[in-house]
Amino acid sequence: MLTLTDNAAQAIRDLTANAPEPEQSGIRISSQGEGASALTLTLATAPEPADAVVENEGARVYLDPVAATVLEDKSLDAGADDQGSVSFLVTEQSA
């Protein structure tokens, strides 16, 4: 299952703090088009019915079935640039 770094959890909490339903809001990673050639990340107020839910320290990530399979052995990290823009990075899980 996808894991979240502390940086990613904090970034997700920051992004969802002002959402209409902050206690359920998170980010959703879903597949675009056929197969898993592209994944998109969007803010979500709740999971879709078939989504897998990853939660860490109050941060929620919703994964559609394709994204859940693709990211099964991955870790989600986050960072910010000098202007404060957040970017997410998928890495291999460390042993």
Side-chain angles (χ1 to χ4, degrees):
M1 180 65 78
L2 178 73
T3 60
L4 306 179
T5 66
D6 292 341
N7 288 342
Q10 183 62 53
I12 294 166
R13 286 193 305 272
D14 290 348
L15 287 170
T16 59
N18 297 320
E21 298 287 336
E23 61 279 349
Q24 289 188 26
S25 294
I27 61 169
R28 183 165 193 267
I29 302 175
S30 56
S31 56
Q32 279 292 93
E34 292 297 314
S37 58
L39 298 175
T40 60
L41 186 147
T42 55
L43 289 174
T45 55
E48 296 292 324
D51 284 354
V53 178
V54 176
E55 190 166 353
N56 181 18
E57 299 177 14
R60 283 164 296 286
V61 177
Y62 306 128
L63 303 167
D64 80 1
V66 172
T69 300
V70 170
L71 300 174
E72 182 175 50
D73 59 349
K74 305 291 189 252
S75 183
L76 185 66
D77 195 8
D81 64 18
D82 294 338
Q83 289 77 39
S85 296
V86 174
S87 60
F88 289 94
L89 176 68
V90 174
T91 61
E92 297 293 327
Q93 287 181 3
S94 50

